[in-house]
C-alpha cells in the first residue's frame, strides 16, 4: 500500500512539473536551458560591458564577455563607414561564438540622434527639438529610421532614448531631453521606443531616475570624466533633491511609457537622489523592478559604480545586489568579472541574483534573434538612405519655433537677396551638436549634411535670388539673416551657469555677427542653433524675426529653408520656458516663483506665419 502511495505521489509530482514546463514559454525554456549549462565564470562574463578600444575580440572569446560598446567617438580602427562598423561587429561576434559558452554578444552604441558616431549618418534633431515638434507618429518614424541605420552596421543595442525631464537649462544634457514637462515624455516616449526597437535593435531608457532634476551645485561629485573639464561639472551627475510626489509625477513618466512599449534595457543614472547614488539605490528593486515590473536588462552607466563607496570589489557587489544586471565597465570589465565570481564565492552575492541577471540578458539575446542569427549581412543601402533623410527634414521643419516675426518679415520670397552672417550659417557640425562623430561633437567640416547656406543658395539659384556672405555686400541685400548659437558639447562639459551669448558654450563669434548685422540697418532675422534657451533679452529688440532651431542635425539646412520661404508653416512650440534673467534658470514649470509674463516666452509658445 505504501508503495502504491509513493508511485501515485511521484506520478503526481512528475505531472505537476511537466505542467509547469508546459506553462513556460519556449523562450523561457531556451533561456533556462542555456543558463543551466553555464559555469559561474561564464555567467559573470555575460554581466559585463567593455568598450571597444579597451577590449578585443580575443578578450570576448576568452572571458565570455556578454556585451561590448562604442562610447561617444569610438569607431572601428579600420575607418568610420557603416561597412567598417559591420566588419568590426562581425569580428567581435565571431569571436564570441568561439568562446566556451558560445554565446553571442550585445553590441551597443549611443545612437541618440541617429547613428551619429558613423560617417554620413542621417542626423535627426536632438530630442529637445523633437519635444518642440511633439509629434508621436514622427517619433515612430525617426525611431524606425534610426533602427534601420543601426541595423546596417550590424549592431543590436542602442543607448537611447534619454527620457530625462530636464528642469534646469544650465544642464549640459538639456538637449537630450524632450523638455521640461512630463507631458512631452507621455506623448513621445512610447512611439519612439516602438520605432527604435524595429529591426531587432534593443532600446535603452535612460538615466534612471530624475537625472533631469539635479541641483546646480559646486562640484558635488567625483568621476573619471571630471578630469576633462573640472570647472564645468556643476550640475551633471549631481544630486536631485526631490520628494516622492515629484519623482513619480514628473521623472517616472518616461520609464512607465518605455516599459509599456517593451523597452529592452534601462540605464541607471550617474546622479543621486537626496544624496544617495542611484547605482546602489533601493529604488532599482522597489520602484523599477517591483512597482513598474521591468523585466529587461538594468545596465550601469559608464564607470558609474566607481562613485559608490568602498573598493572596486565592494562597488561591484553593491551594484549587482542593488539590481544591476550588466556593468558598463569600459576598462575594468575583467576585474568586474573576477569581482562578481568572488562575490558569489564569499556569499556576498547570491547565485539566484546572478541567474536572474543572466536570464534577463539571455532573454534579450533570444528575443532579438541574436542567438539565432548573430552574424549579419545587412543591405548597405539602409544607411543614410534618402527615405531616412526625408524623415529628418520633416522633423527639422516641425521642430523650429518661431518666436518673433515683426511686420511679417517671414516668409521670405524665394527671389530675395539675403545677407547671411554668423558662425552657424555654414556649419553642419554646429547644427548637429554633441554625440556627432565624437562624444563632444565637432565644428570640423567633416560632418556630412546640408548647411543653412547650402540650402538657401540652392533656393536662390532656382528662383533668381541671391545669398551674400560678406558684410560688405549689405547694400545689395533686402534682409540680413544671422545664425548664432552654441558650439557642440556633451554631458557635464556643457554645464553652463551663465548662458549668455558669449558664455562658455556659446560660439565666440556670436556677438560680432550680431553687431555686423545690426550695423547694416537691414531687417534682421536671427536663427539660434542651441541645445537650450540662451539669454537673449538684451538683444531681441534689435531682431525683427527670431527662430529657435535647437540642434536640427544633418538636414537642418533643408528643413529651415522649407519654413523660411513659407513652403510649410511653423508648428513647433517651446518645450521649455525661456528665461528672461539668470535668476529664472532653475524655475521649472513645477516650481514657479514668477508669473508667466515675467519670462521671455512661456512653455508652449510658438508663432505661425499666419499669426
Ligand atoms: C552617458 C550615457 C552613455 C554612456 C555610453 C555615459 O557617460 O551618461 O548616456 O550611454 O556614457 O557612452
Amino acid at each position: 500500500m505504501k508503495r502504491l502511495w509513493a508511485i501515485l505521489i511521484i506520478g503526481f509530482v512528475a505531472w505537476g512539473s511537466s505542467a509547469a514546463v508546459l506553462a513556460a514559454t519556449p523562450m523561457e525554456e531556451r533561456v533556462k536551458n542555456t543558463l543551466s549549462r553555464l559555469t559561474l565564470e561564464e555567467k559573470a562574463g555575460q554581466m559585463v560591458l567593455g568598450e571597444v578600444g579597451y577590449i578585443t575580440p580575443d578578450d570576448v572569446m576568452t572571458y565570455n564577455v556578454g556585451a561590448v560598446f562604442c562610447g561617444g567617438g569610438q569607431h572601428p580602427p579600420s575607418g568610420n563607414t557603416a561597412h567598417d562598423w559591420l566588419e568590426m561587429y562581425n569580428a567581435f561576434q565571431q569571436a564570441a561564438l568561439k568562446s566556451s559558452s558560445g554565446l553571442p554578444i550585445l553590441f551597443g552604441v549611443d545612437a541618440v540622434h541617429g547613428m551619429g558616431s558613423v560617417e554620413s549618418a542621417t542626423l535627426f534633431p536632438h530630442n529637445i527639438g523633437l519635444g518642440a515638434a511633439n509629434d508621436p507618429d514622427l517619433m515612430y518614424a525617426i525611431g524606425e529610421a534610426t533602427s534601420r541605420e543601426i541595423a546596417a552596421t550590424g549592431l543590436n543595442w542602442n543607448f537611447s532614448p534619454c527620457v530625462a525631464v530636464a528642469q534646469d537649462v544650465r544642464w549640459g544634457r538639456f538637449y537630450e531631453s524632450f523638455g521640461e514637462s512630463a507631458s512631452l515624455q507621455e506623448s513621445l516616449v512610447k512611439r519612439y521606443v516602438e520605432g527604435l526597437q524595429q529591426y531587432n535593435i534593443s532600446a535603452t531608457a535612460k538615466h534612471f531616475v530624475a537625472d533631469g532634476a539635479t541641483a546646480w551645485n559646486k562640484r558635488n561629485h567625483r568621476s573619471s570624466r571630471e578630469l576633462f573639464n573640472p570647472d564645468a561639472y556643476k550640475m551633471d551627475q549631481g544630486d536631485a533633491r526631490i520628494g516622492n510626489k515629484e519623482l513619480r509625477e514628473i521623472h517616472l513618466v518616461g520609464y512607465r511609457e518605455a516599459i509599456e512599449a517593451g523597452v529592452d534595457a534601462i540605464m541607471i543614472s550617474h546622479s543621486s537622489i537626496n544624496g544617495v547614488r542611484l547605482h546602489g539605490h533601493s529604488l532599482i528593486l522597489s520602484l523599477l523592478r517591483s512597482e513598474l515590473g521591468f523585466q529587461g536588462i538594468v545596465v550601469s552607466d559608464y564607470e558609474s559604480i566607481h562613485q559608490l563607496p568602498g573598493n572596486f570589489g565592494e562597488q561591484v557587489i553593491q551594484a549587482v545586489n542593488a539590481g544591476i544586471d550588466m556593468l558598463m565597465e569600459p576598462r575594468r570589465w575583467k576585474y568586474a568579472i573576477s569581482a562578481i565570481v568572488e562575490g558569489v564565492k564569499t556569499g556576498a552575492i547570491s547565485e539566484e541574483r546572478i541567474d536572474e541577471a543572466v536570464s534577463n540578458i539571455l532573454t534579450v539575446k533570444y528575443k532579438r534573434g541574436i542567438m539565432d542569427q548573430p552574424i549579419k549581412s545587412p543591405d548597405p543601402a539602409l544607411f543614410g538612405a534618402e527615405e531616412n533623410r526625408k524623415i529628418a527634414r520633416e522633423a527639422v521643419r516641425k521642430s523650429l519655433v518661431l518666436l518673433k516675426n515683426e511686420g511679417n518679415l517671414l516668409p521670405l520670397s524665394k527671389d530675395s537677396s539675403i545677407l547671411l552672417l554668423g558662425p552657424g550659417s555654414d556649419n553642419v557640425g554646429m547644427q548637429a551638436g554633441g554625440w556627432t562623430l565624437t562624444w563632444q561633437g565637432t565644428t570640423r567640416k567633416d560632418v556630412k549634411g546640408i548647411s543653412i547656406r547650402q540650402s538657401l543658395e540652392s533656393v536662390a539659384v532656382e528662383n533668381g535670388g541671391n545669398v551674400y556672405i560678406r558684410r560688405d555686400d549689405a547694400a545689395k541685400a533686402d534682409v540680413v539673416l544671422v545664425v548664432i548659437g552654441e558650439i557642440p558639447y556633451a554631458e557635464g562639459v556643457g554645464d553652463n551657469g551663465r548662458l549668455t551669448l558669449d558664455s562658455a558654450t556659446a560660439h565666440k563669434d556670436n556677438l560680432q555677427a550680431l553687431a555686423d548685422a545690426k550695423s547694416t540697418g537691414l531687417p534682421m532675422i536671427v536663427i539660434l542653433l542651441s541645445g537650450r534657451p540662451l539669454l537673449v533679452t538684451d538683444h531681441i529688440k534689435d531682431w525683427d524675426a527670431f527662430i529657435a532651431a535647437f540642434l536640427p542635425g544633418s538636414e537642418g539646412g533643408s528643413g529651415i529653408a522649407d519654413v523660411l520661404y513659407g513652403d510649410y508653416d511653423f508648428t513647433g512650440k517651446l518645450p521649455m520656458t525661456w528665461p528672461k534673467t539668470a535668476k529664472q534658470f532653475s524655475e521649472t514649470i513645477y516650481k514657479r516663483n514668477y508669473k508667466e509674463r515675467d519670462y521671455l516666452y512661456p512653455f508652449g509658445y510658438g508663432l505661425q506665419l499666419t499669426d
Side-chain angles (χ1 to χ4, degrees):
M1 190 61 182
K2 257 187 186 163
R3 273 185 68 185
L4 184 63
W5 272 115
I7 290 166
L8 280 176
I9 289 168
I10 290 167
F12 186 73
V13 170
W15 175 82
S17 58
S18 69
V21 169
L22 282 180
T25 64
M27 176 137 41
E28 282 165 0
E29 269 309 294
R30 290 180 84 185
V31 168
K32 221 164 108 195
N33 288 338
T34 306
L35 187 71
S36 69
R37 65 171 174 76
L38 298 181
T39 65
L40 174 59
E41 285 72 15
E42 288 168 341
K43 288 178 189 172
Q46 287 302 297
M47 292 173 63
V48 300
L49 174 56
E51 186 175 20
V52 170
Y54 307 106
I55 193 165
T56 63
D58 270 357
D59 292 332
V60 168
M61 178 177 72
T62 311
Y63 295 95
N64 288 282
V65 168
V68 300
F69 74 108
C70 277
Q74 295 275 8
H75 55 75
S78 58
N80 196 18
T81 64
H83 182 72
D84 294 315
W85 281 71
L86 179 63
E87 289 198 326
M88 169 180 67
Y89 168 85
N90 280 333
F92 270 99
Q93 203 60 286
Q94 257 142 5
L97 298 177
K98 286 193 221 137
S99 64
S100 58
S101 67
L103 293 173
I105 49 166
L106 291 168
F107 200 136
V109 69
D110 291 278
V112 298
H113 64 141
M115 187 52 167
S117 299
V118 186
E119 196 179 291
S120 305
T122 308
L123 302 167
F124 298 91
H126 268 294
N127 284 355
I128 197 65
L130 301 181
N134 197 7
D135 180 336
D137 291 338
L138 175 67
M139 290 312 290
Y140 180 84
I142 293 173
E144 198 184 23
T146 302
S147 185
R148 265 199 297 272
E149 297 209 2
I150 299 173
T153 66
L155 273 62
N156 48 33
W157 189 5
N158 186 0
F159 304 147
S160 167
C162 175
V163 300
V165 190
Q167 300 295 291
D168 189 320
V169 287
R170 291 171 291 186
W171 189 30
R173 305 193 81 155
F174 195 88
Y175 66 83
E176 293 186 58
S177 164
F178 296 121
E180 69 180 15
S181 163
S183 62
L184 294 163
Q185 278 71 10
E186 205 158 40
S187 107
L188 303 177
V189 170
K190 193 154 170 244
R191 294 291 281 151
Y192 194 34
V193 169
E194 285 166 356
L196 283 171
Q197 294 201 146
Q198 291 301 308
Y199 301 94
N200 273 333
I201 308 295
S202 293
T204 311
K206 67 187 190 184
H207 308 82
F208 186 81
V209 58
D211 51 341
T214 57
W216 181 258
N217 211 353
K218 280 227 160 81
R219 309 194 24 214
N220 49 7
H221 71 284
R222 297 207 58 78
S223 81
S224 59
R225 290 201 176 187
E226 207 176 61
L227 299 172
F228 196 85
N229 181 354
D231 294 333
Y233 287 82
K234 297 270 173 59
M235 174 159 225
D236 189 43
Q237 307 194 7
D239 190 22
R241 296 166 203 153
I242 53 171
N244 201 27
K245 190 166 183 286
E246 195 173 339
L247 172 68
R248 282 159 190 282
E249 287 178 5
I250 303 172
H251 303 285
L252 215 54
V253 172
Y255 296 95
R256 281 215 180 87
E257 297 292 317
I259 292 168
E260 220 170 279
V263 75
D264 282 346
I266 289 182
M267 190 184 290
I268 302 303
S269 178
H270 283 309
S271 56
S272 307
I273 289 195
N274 301 319
V276 181
R277 286 265 156 225
L278 277 151
H279 278 74
H281 211 295
S282 59
L283 282 176
I284 300 176
L285 291 181
S286 62
L287 194 54
L288 186 56
R289 289 291 193 206
S290 302
E291 196 177 318
L292 300 188
F294 177 61
Q295 295 180 338
I297 300 172
V298 175
V299 61
S300 64
D301 200 351
Y302 203 104
E303 293 183 341
S304 210
I305 67 165
H306 303 191
Q307 299 186 41
L308 294 172
N311 62 31
F312 185 65
E314 289 160 349
Q315 291 165 342
V316 168
I317 291 167
Q318 287 169 70
V320 172
N321 285 338
I324 296 176
D325 301 325
M326 187 172 259
L327 300 172
M328 191 190 291
E329 281 302 317
R331 294 166 248 244
R332 307 192 80 179
W333 54 268
K334 204 188 291 180
Y335 304 108
I337 296 175
S338 322
I340 295 170
V341 170
E342 201 47 35
V344 174
K345 286 190 176 154
T346 60
I349 306 175
S350 71
E351 283 190 44
E352 292 73 50
R353 174 75 267 275
I354 300 295
D355 285 352
E356 179 193 57
V358 178
S359 298
N360 293 342
I361 295 163
L362 291 176
T363 301
V364 169
K365 290 185 178 180
Y366 274 111
K367 189 163 123 196
R368 295 291 158 209
I370 304 162
M371 298 294 277
D372 300 318
Q373 213 197 341
I375 303 299
K376 302 275 182 63
S377 51
D379 177 0
L382 292 177
F383 197 83
E386 202 40 49
E387 185 191 348
N388 302 346
R389 297 194 183 276
K390 267 199 197 139
I391 297 167
R393 180 173 180 164
E394 177 188 345
V396 174
R397 61 176 179 255
K398 289 184 169 170
S399 69
L400 304 170
V401 183
L402 180 62
L403 293 169
K404 189 174 180 190
N405 191 20
E406 287 290 305
N408 289 331
L409 181 57
L410 295 176
L412 295 175
S413 89
K414 289 187 179 169
D415 60 1
S416 335
S417 289
I418 302 170
L419 174 63
L420 179 64
L421 300 176
S425 59
D426 194 16
N427 194 326
V428 181
M430 217 171 133
Q431 287 171 199
W435 303 99
T436 306
L437 294 181
T438 73
W439 178 41
Q440 293 295 317
T442 172
T443 49
R444 290 192 320 256
K445 292 280 170 182
D446 54 355
V447 186
K448 303 252 165 46
I450 316 275
S451 74
I452 295 169
R453 176 178 168 190
Q454 283 169 314
S455 62
L456 297 192
E457 280 176 349
S458 65
V459 173
V461 164
E462 278 170 33
N463 297 279
N466 291 293
V467 178
Y468 302 105
I469 56 165
R470 291 175 23 194
R471 160 72 187 79
D472 295 350
D473 288 327
K476 298 185 221 160
D478 311 317
V479 63
V480 57
L481 171 59
V482 199
V483 189
I484 55 171
E486 289 188 291
I487 51 170
Y489 53 80
E491 301 193 42
V493 178
D495 283 357
N496 180 345
R498 294 201 303 124
L499 293 177
T500 52
L501 290 177
D502 59 352
S503 56
T505 56
H507 197 288
K508 63 174 179 27
D509 297 338
N510 286 340
L511 294 183
Q512 188 59 51
L514 288 173
D516 287 349
K518 189 176 170 188
S519 72
T520 65
L522 290 165
M524 185 165 163
I525 305 162
V526 174
I527 296 181
L528 181 70
L529 297 173
S530 66
R532 52 189 156 191
L534 297 184
L535 283 184
V536 296
T537 317
D538 295 342
H539 303 270
I540 199 160
K541 59 183 180 318
D542 299 331
W543 308 349
D544 299 285
F546 176 33
I547 299 165
F550 304 105
L551 299 168
S554 61
E555 312 313 299
S558 326
I560 287 173
D562 284 343
V563 288
L564 267 187
Y565 291 108
D567 287 343
Y568 292 85
D569 203 347
F570 287 84
T571 53
K573 306 286 175 214
L574 283 182
M576 82 292 284
T577 307
W578 200 293
K580 193 182 265 180
T581 73
K583 285 203 182 105
Q584 296 170 340
F585 286 160
S586 59
E587 291 288 313
T588 71
I589 54 171
Y590 300 97
K591 272 189 256 161
R592 285 283 131 97
N593 294 317
Y594 295 83
K595 296 204 173 63
E596 196 169 283
R597 62 167 189 272
D598 296 332
Y599 299 94
L600 194 62
Y601 301 110
F603 174 88
Y605 188 76
L607 300 170
Q608 295 203 281
L609 293 171
T610 45
D611 284 338

